[in-house]
Amino acid sequence: MTTSVADQSALGRLGRFCYLRRRLVLVLWVIGTIVLLVVGFGFAAPADNDFTGGNSQSAQAQNLLKVHFPERKGSSLTLAIQAPAGVESPAVRPRVEALTAQLGTAEHITAVRSPYTAPGQISADGRTAFADLQSPTNPLPAGEVKHLISEVKAASGNGVVFALGGADVVGAETPYGGASDAIGAVAAMLVILIAFGSLLAMGLTMLTALFGIGTGLALIFLLGYLFPAPSFSPIVSTLLGLGVGIDYALFIVTRYREGLAAGLTPQQAVETAVARAGRSVLFAGATVVIAMLGLFVVQQKLLNATAVAASVTVLMTMFAAITLLPALLGFAGLGIDRLKLPYLGRTGSRSPLAERWARVIQRHPVAGLLAGAAVMVLLAIPALSMRLSFEDNSTEPRDTSGYASYRILTEGFGPGFNAPFLVVAALPPGGATLGPLVSAVAHTPGVAAVTPPQTSQDGKAALFVAYPTTSHQDAATPKLLDRLRGQVIPPAVAGTGLVVHVGGPTAGDTDFASEVSARLPWLIATVIGLSLVLLLVLVRSVVIALKAAVMTLLSVGAAFGVLVAIVQWGWLGGLLGFPTTAPITAWVPLFIFPILFGLSTDYEVFLVSRIREEYDAGADTREAVARGLGRTARVITAAAAIMVTVFLSVLATPDIAVKAFGLGLAVAVFLDATVVRMVLVPAIMELLGPLNWWLPRPLARLLPELA
């Protein structure tokens, strides 16, 4: 019967082809991967980290700057100077001038504004100063930034401290990825080894995943020319690809070993594994892709590009699982458990312990439901206090040049020096006086100081800088921005013909965070709606599809709550490598939700499709749930353990946004595989009984019937 099901399935026939033509399939994969890696990594598109697109005030201010103040195009770095003897003392000034002259000769630096020639760059007590370094290149190459940091550090000492800061310094000192990728891969290998107990089975699983990830990354580097993506795009794609790629291969290898244990030949086992587990892989992967493409609802071009990049990586890992892996299994044959390690792994996939646990929950479904829901809701409560922003020099590790620059300038000029607002005005024909506007902004509570206004060379625009009394990450800073835009500036420019926009990095971060908050509900609704359609097709049950959506929302809420408690409130933050408390980076929740929804659906598909198999074979709902959980618990646990270890590996990276991203996904996957799959799902399905399989007849006629 198993063989006939595989014979009738297109996936089963694909598995047979890849098994029988395994040498051809392997050669095509190897050649194709080499070509893609050489071309993709050799001609990779540059990253784009400009999130100021759209119609926000910060975007309009940036457009005015580009047109009327071309000298402000590109990147800027800030040289912070601290000298207890005074920056204008005879012993200090020559050293400062020598360093600024040296930095001005760097390859990508076109101008240096010295603190001795520009007003306002020396603190009131004379002990702190700064110099601005301008470059037309945006962003500056990380290698060049590191070289500049080395020069600045070498010049420090003997009563003078120099430190370099700026957005490019953050990127150079706290890069995405790095050692965490290798840590995640090694940790995943150990989990697979424990699950299978076979070096060969582990090797085939990892090899398949790595082929998929490698080709996926090469493709997204090329797609960057069509969809420019931010610099965090590869790490998001790698983490997601590593997690799902290993999971998909794990599902198929587990089903293959189960088939061999049941007496099937290697060819029959491959056909059955690809037909059965491969269907789950296709639906699970399609759900992840649909969830990621839901980010288009946010209408932010860089997020769209990251969604495309992650989707391509998932598609390649999915394609590798159903084509390359069957070929590799053909080479392994009956020796899949070769190189078996003692005391590790079992050939059978059934877990009697999980089956007994399911029956315990089925005997006490109300208690299980209340206990599981209570845990998830309690963990989700802190999410109500979530604030969004972006990392800056204040969130860097304490031993970095960027943080040293932040500390020096904060001590000398106040915390708001690192969170300036650029007030940009388009001037009417004939010009207009800026005095009332500057005065109104300067006398606003929360504004520490303003600079004298500058007029553009074409006489069509002007700008000045307003420094808040609070830092970039302080909750009072975005409130001040809203007050300036809504209450202070409009009456100050009424009847003058001035068109004023408040921009700059801090305003841009605030605008982006506001857009995220406004569009996140639409993202959630879109992803859930599209994913429900896929689940309905697969499981042919309205109730199970809705239950999956609710369970995923609980997992997302709990993950957001844990993130807020750790990152924003500081609970265990130091222990986990977060150098300071800070708002959640704005892009993190946007990606956690669709990725988690896709991954959660992976487990739902694998579990419920197995339950459905048992139900269709004649078992009642209670027995089908217990058997399905017993059959899938081990592989779901292994898959979740792989995900958790891969995601937690990013705690080794210095960037707090990536740390938060990995931590949030790890927490959510852990809760989904334990509280949700092992407690809430069996409890709810026991309480619903036959209603689990309810499908209205009109809908049943519309949905395709799958083998």
Side-chain angles (χ1 to χ4, degrees), residues 165-391:
D168 288 341
V169 173
V170 176
E173 293 188 309
T174 56
Y176 298 114
S180 63
D181 296 340
I183 294 172
V186 172
M189 290 168 62
L190 292 176
V191 174
I192 300 172
L193 194 57
I194 293 172
F196 286 150
S198 163
L199 287 171
L200 182 59
M202 179 272 290
L204 295 184
T205 303
M206 286 299 302
L207 188 62
T208 302
L210 292 177
F211 265 95
I213 296 167
T215 53
L217 285 176
L219 284 172
I220 67 173
F221 286 141
L222 294 176
L223 283 172
Y225 290 102
L226 298 177
F227 303 97
S231 52
F232 62 77
S233 181
I235 185 63
V236 170
S237 301
T238 301
L239 282 177
L240 183 57
L242 193 59
V244 300
I246 295 173
D247 276 8
Y248 297 162
L250 181 70
F251 292 163
I252 292 177
V253 171
T254 298
R255 199 64 183 254
Y256 174 75
R257 295 170 79 238
E258 183 182 330
L260 292 181
L264 299 180
T265 65
Q267 179 178 334
Q268 291 172 328
V270 166
E271 293 174 15
T272 303
V274 177
R276 295 288 197 180
R279 183 183 65 170
S280 298
V281 165
L282 286 182
F283 270 87
T287 306
V288 174
V289 170
I290 287 175
M292 290 303 303
L293 294 181
L295 283 166
F296 276 75
V297 174
V298 182
Q299 300 177 21
Q300 221 292 339
K301 61 184 180 68
L302 297 189
L303 297 184
N304 295 348
T306 304
V308 170
S311 298
V312 167
T313 306
V314 171
L315 288 172
M316 292 308 299
T317 59
M318 185 171 63
F319 184 56
I322 61 174
T323 57
L324 175 61
L325 184 55
L328 296 177
L329 291 174
F331 288 107
L334 293 172
I336 186 65
D337 290 323
R338 196 178 299 134
L339 305 177
K340 191 172 178 63
L341 300 182
Y343 311 114
L344 291 180
R346 297 178 183 177
T347 302
S349 62
R350 183 182 175 189
S351 172
L353 179 61
E355 195 168 323
R356 288 196 297 271
W357 171 258
R359 298 188 193 280
V360 170
I361 296 296
Q362 288 172 331
R363 288 195 295 270
H364 308 284
V366 175
L369 176 60
L370 293 177
V375 169
M376 303 297 280
V377 171
L378 284 174
L379 290 175
I381 289 175
L384 299 174
S385 303
M386 181 184 289
R387 290 196 301 114
L388 301 177
S389 184
F390 275 88
E391 65 267 40

Side-chain angles (χ1 to χ4, degrees), residues 1 611-624 627:
M1 178 180 176
I611 292 174
R612 184 79 200 208
E613 281 185 41
E614 300 291 341
Y615 181 79
D616 290 343
D620 60 21
T621 298
R622 169 177 286 191
E623 188 64 21
R627 290 182 189 175

